[in-house]
Amino acid sequence: MNDARAYPPRERRVEPKRTVDFAAELNAAQHAAATHRDGPLLIVAGAGTGKTRTLVYRVAHLIERGVPPQRILLLTFTRRAAQEMLARAEKLVGQTSRGVHGGTFHGTAHRLLRRFGPETGLPGDFTILDQSDAEDLMQLSRAALGLGDKTKRFPKKETLHHVYSRHVNTDIPVGAILREEYPRFIAFEDDFARVFADYTARKQGRDLLDYDDLLLYWALMLESAPGIADKVAGLYDHILVDEYQDTNVLQARILKGMCRMHRNITVVGDDAQSIYAFRGATIRNILDFPREYHGAATVTLEENYRSTQPILDATNLLISRAEERFSKELFTRRTGGEKPWLVTAQDESQQTRFVVDRILELHEEGIPLREMAVLFRAGYMSADLEIELTARNIPFDKWGGLKFLEAAHVKDVLAFLRVLENPRDEVSWYRLLLLMPGIGEVTARNAVQSMADLAWSHEAFGRFQPPPRAREAHAALVRLLGDLRGNAGGDEGRVAREITRVRAMYDDILRERYDRVEPRLSDLDQLQTIAGGYPDRSTFLSAIALEPPSATSDLGFGADAEDDTLILSTAHSSKGREWDAVFVIWAVDGYFPMARALGSDDEIEEERRLMYVAMTRARNHLAVSYPLNAYDTRRGADYSIDQVSRFLDRGVRKAFQKVVLETVADPSLTPDADATAPEVDLRALLKNRFAPPNA
DNA sequence: TTTTGAAGTCTCTCC
DNA sequence: GACTTCAAAA
């Protein structure tokens, strides 16, 4: 309690929770970081060293010091991380911490742009384009410029968008990106520029913002409008940034602008866990932090509280192979624990059976399912496992992957809501027009053009003269949109009711288009359930773009923390979390690292760090498994399958205990030795069944 | 001009 | 194995 006196007397609080004894509850390094006064602070925190804890205590300490919670901004990588930290802070200092602003960069940008946008020439009611919307719009630009005619091989919309996004997020000139990543398109550099110009103009003319715009406009607001910049930057006295190793140049610019008045910036990161270079993140942000912010204090957290020593030995060894990194050796005071397992399975189904059996075994030993996780490189790699878990009635949540919102039918329904919200939303107009029977590309283009000519007024679509074959569909759509527009009011459940109206039309279209409609209809039911939780359409549409439901439990079916569910997750989505038992499956070269990421040393290094992230999630039990015979349906596989991941080299493998799953001969597959003459000809029976009627 | 059928093209990570 | 793109038919 002595240390408590070192701090100024606390403000009177409405609900004092308890006295936080910072010195007793944190180790020396954590304590130094949490109680750091003002000015820039860099916390280099290895995996499992209490990074989140330190950040939470720092927030608590700031509040105890008298910093008003609403003047603290906590930027995290996922919505989940923000919620978790704020919940933990609340336990420390009580409800006051609810005033802290926490969220992702994009979510925060969105909030600020809605508020300050009108003062900077942005429309107040812009629509957010997700990645595939942005790609679709890029396609419209490409077509409008007449590029991509069959004659020459012009980059696809995905490529165009990737280059654009990379350029915006990294400040690397387009030409340099092309030379680096797409040498075959260097000749098109000028065309890239033209497409990007049209794309930008098109977004602006239609009140559309893509993900990159959210960050870009935030940065520009701070850099080129002193008046607004003062207002925006003046909102916060302290800024804390989690996972700083995964921020990019644009985000660094934003932070610089946000704290230029007070320089009260705390960043936490681990260079060994940098796994978002594909999104423009650069390790340079964390490496250059001390230079960028003169006088920055640096605190390094090296004591690991998470994993047993044998697990730590294995992960330390794994990351020691990395080319370039801050040297830090994690240690723990935890004793005991067994070596992690390296499991060789004969094939995928054996791997699956092993994982499920072992999970049940550990569950028998008293580990709840929610304290176990299965991690993999990419979403689709858990397909077999999901089937088995379902068959065996083991509840699970799957994290990562955006499949639900990316599904065409979900986007279709959202398109209806989006044109209601923003009649200029060209991307959504195309999407829904093309759904209508009798309307194809040409008619859709004409319709959009005629709406643009009428300045996108609400009646514009009604006035459009469709060709005869599209008349019926056009009339139905006009009626539907008119109905929905007339049904004003912001009452609870309104969005869900709108979806009901839309589905009255759309479900039939769905039935026409797909053979298997049930799963798709149930996706739409889920969408409706989610919509029910939002007060109005605009909030719903923004939220769904910025905070996609990341697990089935997010979909509103009451899967609380109470429920005991196993977690399946991509390695990326597992970042920042920990479990008692962790299974890393598909540790096969070509899968982890993925074949696609073998192009450059940098990419391979990122894959290595990703595996490091996955393995360091484990507290007490870690099993890494790889199937020997992965039969590969993909053509032209130029990588060796059925090889253990290159990251698990001889030396690293020494830190594991090997478990080889044997193939057990199945007696039922051996012909019965007693068999004599056939008793019945089964083939003839079957053949007769399909004999032509008059044969 | 729209629709339909068939060949062809990739497969990731996420706000 | 799912989705896009291309070519021919309605």
Side-chain angles (χ1 to χ4, degrees):
Chain A
M1 292 298 162
N2 285 342
D3 292 79
R5 263 182 254 127
Y7 308 112
R10 279 181 279 120
E11 304 277 327
R12 276 193 305 129
R13 280 180 283 106
V14 188
E15 278 186 69
K17 202 67 169 183
R18 67 178 173 100
T19 309
V20 183
D21 187 345
F22 288 89
E25 293 170 30
L26 301 171
N27 70 29
Q30 291 174 338
H31 182 258
T35 59
H36 174 79
R37 300 293 303 187
D38 291 337
L41 170 66
L42 165 64
I43 306 173
V44 178
T49 55
K51 167 177 71 86
T52 305
R53 184 179 179 81
T54 305
L55 218 40
V56 166
Y57 272 77
R58 177 151 179 76
V59 170
H61 187 256
L62 289 172
I63 292 173
E64 298 237 322
R65 257 174 61 188
V67 177
Q70 68 277 9
R71 300 195 56 81
I72 299 173
L73 176 61
L74 175 62
L75 291 165
T76 57
F77 216 67
T78 61
R79 172 176 95 275
R80 197 190 304 132
Q83 282 170 347
E84 200 180 299
M85 279 197 220
L86 294 181
R88 284 171 65 173
E90 190 172 335
K91 283 197 183 125
L92 287 182
V93 294
Q95 294 192 356
T96 38
S97 67
R98 286 192 194 164
V100 174
H101 284 164
T104 61
F105 273 88
H106 291 85
T108 306
H110 174 241
R111 201 158 42 78
L112 294 173
L113 292 177
R114 290 273 185 222
R115 179 163 163 194
F116 294 103
E119 297 173 53
T120 58
L122 288 177
D125 56 348
F126 58 83
T127 304
I128 299 172
L129 298 177
D130 70 19
Q131 185 170 325
S132 71
D133 297 330
E135 287 165 357
D136 289 347
L137 190 67
M138 197 68 89
Q139 178 76 322
L140 293 176
S141 293
R142 195 180 92 154
L145 293 172
L147 295 163
D149 302 353
K150 297 116 203 161
T151 45
K152 43 185 183 177
R153 207 173 44 137
F154 197 73
K156 312 182 297 188
K157 60 180 198 280
E158 289 84 1
T159 309
L160 291 165
H161 180 260
H162 173 78
V163 173
Y164 167 83
S165 181
R166 191 158 195 82
H167 168 64
V168 170
N169 281 287
T170 62
D171 275 350
I172 300 173
V174 171
I177 296 170
L178 295 182
R179 276 192 295 282
E180 178 71 27
E181 294 182 53
Y182 301 99
R184 64 186 182 283
F185 293 142
I186 288 173
F188 294 123
E189 186 176 341
D190 291 346
D191 290 330
F192 271 86
R194 287 166 59 210
V195 172
F196 295 165
D198 182 89
Y199 173 72
T200 304
R202 206 168 277 267
K203 277 187 298 187
Q204 296 190 344
R206 314 286 187 271
D207 298 347
L208 303 170
L209 268 70
D210 62 25
Y211 286 140
D212 302 324
D213 286 334
L214 292 171
L215 299 182
L216 192 54
Y217 282 124
W218 186 4
L220 291 176
M221 202 155 67
L222 291 163
E223 290 166 355
S224 36
I228 305 285
D230 285 349
K231 279 198 211 172
V232 175
L235 288 173
Y236 303 105
D237 296 326
H238 285 270
I239 296 177
L240 298 93
V241 188
D242 192 17
E243 310 285 8
Y244 193 59
Q245 77 281 353
D246 284 323
T247 55
N248 60 38
V249 170
L250 185 53
Q251 288 164 319
R253 271 167 61 189
I254 289 169
L255 292 172
K256 203 170 173 193
M258 286 301 284
C259 62
R260 76 205 152 105
M261 307 202 281
H262 47 64
R263 302 209 324 143
N264 288 329
I265 178 170
T266 299
V267 301
V268 190
D270 178 7
D271 54 309
Q273 295 186 64
S274 158
I275 53 175
Y276 281 94
F278 73 89
R279 213 167 92 179
T282 168
I283 196 74
R284 289 250 70 88
N285 279 352
I286 198 166
L287 297 178
D288 294 345
F289 186 83
R291 209 171 317 147
E292 190 69 39
Y293 294 89
H294 292 290
T298 302
V299 174
T300 307
L301 306 181
E302 285 183 303
E303 178 166 2
N304 180 295
Y305 292 93
R306 179 184 296 156
S307 309
T308 60
Q309 189 63 51
I311 290 177
L312 220 45
D313 288 342
T315 54
N316 278 340
L317 214 46
L318 177 81
I319 201 65
S320 72
R321 270 37 176 186
E323 303 279 318
E324 184 191 6
R325 64 190 200 104
F326 277 142
S327 200
K328 49 182 179 305
E329 193 73 12
L330 299 184
F331 68 97
T332 180
R333 288 174 220 225
R334 294 191 55 186
T335 51
E338 58 169 4
K339 276 187 169 184
W341 296 14
L342 181 63
V343 181
T344 311
Q346 297 304 316
D347 53 29
E348 177 173 19
S349 66
Q350 197 180 37
Q351 171 177 258
T352 297
R353 261 175 290 142
F354 162 76
V355 170
V356 176
D357 290 345
R358 182 70 182 141
I359 284 169
L360 291 176
E361 218 171 282
L362 291 170
H363 192 233
E364 288 288 297
E365 290 174 18
I367 301 178
L369 289 175
R370 85 179 85 87
E371 281 302 331
M372 296 189 258
V374 184
L375 309 181
F376 31 83
R377 176 62 180 84
Y380 66 85
M381 293 180 190
S382 66
D384 191 60
L385 183 63
E386 288 171 44
I387 293 169
E388 183 71 11
L389 289 170
T390 308
R392 297 227 221 160
N393 262 322
I394 300 173
F396 64 89
D397 277 344
K398 188 172 172 185
W399 290 356
L402 305 167
K403 252 172 61 190
F404 173 69
L405 287 169
E406 281 172 352
H409 47 283
V410 173
K411 302 216 69 168
D412 288 344
V413 169
L414 290 175
F416 286 84
L417 302 186
R418 285 172 46 164
V419 298
L420 288 168
E421 197 58 31
N422 176 4
R424 297 169 180 247
D425 188 336
E426 190 178 1
V427 176
S428 297
W429 271 119
Y430 269 110
R431 175 175 274 279
L432 78 87
L433 286 171
L434 289 174
L435 291 171
M436 310 307 291
I439 299 182
E441 211 171 314
V442 175
T443 311
R445 203 181 0 252
N446 291 338
V448 168
Q449 185 56 52
S450 86
M451 284 188 278
D453 292 343
L454 292 170
W456 305 97
S457 75
H458 283 306
E459 313 81 54
F461 184 61
R463 292 216 220 137
F464 170 66
Q465 295 293 324
R469 75 176 79 205
R471 203 156 285 160
E472 199 183 333
H474 174 255
L477 193 52
V478 169
R479 210 176 316 122
L480 174 65
L481 294 176
D483 279 1
L484 288 168
R485 251 196 294 271
N487 174 31
D491 54 306
E492 195 77 20
R494 174 172 164 219
V495 192
R497 283 203 305 282
E498 286 180 350
I499 294 179
T500 306
R501 309 280 280 271
V502 170
R503 288 184 61 182
M505 170 184 279
Y506 181 74
D507 282 5
D508 289 336
I509 298 173
L510 191 70
R511 279 183 250 272
E512 284 283 309
R513 288 166 86 86
Y514 299 101
D515 287 343
R516 293 185 59 235
V517 289
E518 294 83 6
R520 296 171 210 267
L521 289 173
S522 86
D523 281 347
L524 297 183
D525 291 341
Q526 286 192 345
L527 185 70
Q528 227 157 343
T529 309
I530 298 170
Y534 290 89
D536 59 78
R537 196 203 291 139
S538 162
T539 313
F540 170 63
L541 291 174
S542 300
I544 210 141
L546 291 170
E547 307 170 346
S550 55
T552 35
S553 62
D554 290 1
L555 298 179
F557 288 110
D560 301 329
E562 305 286 306
D563 291 349
D564 197 20
T565 38
L566 177 72
I567 300 297
L568 310 188
S569 173
T570 59
H572 280 92
S573 293
S574 76
K575 196 173 64 161
R577 285 298 308 260
E578 61 180 64
W579 292 273
D580 254 4
V582 167
F583 297 83
V584 178
I585 59 173
W586 282 115
V588 174
D589 228 53
Y591 282 80
F592 206 157
M594 284 203 69
R596 210 155 174 271
L598 299 178
S600 70
D601 288 351
D602 285 350
E603 285 177 287
I604 295 174
E605 286 309 305
E606 178 146 321
E607 294 281 307
R608 186 198 310 278
R609 292 190 296 268
L610 185 57
M611 181 168 276
Y612 176 73
V613 167
M615 284 170 45
T616 50
R617 300 307 96 196
R619 282 198 287 258
N620 300 315
H621 303 276
L622 172 65
V624 178
S625 67
Y626 66 101
L628 276 180
N629 298 302
Y631 79 96
D632 188 12
T633 50
R634 289 169 289 198
R635 293 167 296 109
D638 56 351
Y639 49 86
S640 52
I641 201 112
D642 70 19
Q643 285 264 20
V644 66
S645 169
R646 66 186 64 194
F647 303 139
L648 301 168
D649 60 44
R650 271 172 161 293
V652 175
R653 289 203 295 268
K654 284 201 180 110
F656 286 82
Q657 50 184 312
K658 283 146 204 82
V659 177
V660 179
L661 305 177
E662 298 294 346
T663 322
V664 182
D666 184 345
S668 65
L669 295 178
T670 322
D672 194 343
D674 302 336
T676 50
E679 185 183 331
V680 62
D681 188 347
L682 294 177
R683 295 197 297 176
L685 283 178
L686 187 57
K687 202 169 166 188
N688 291 338
R689 180 167 166 186
F690 292 107
N694 52 357

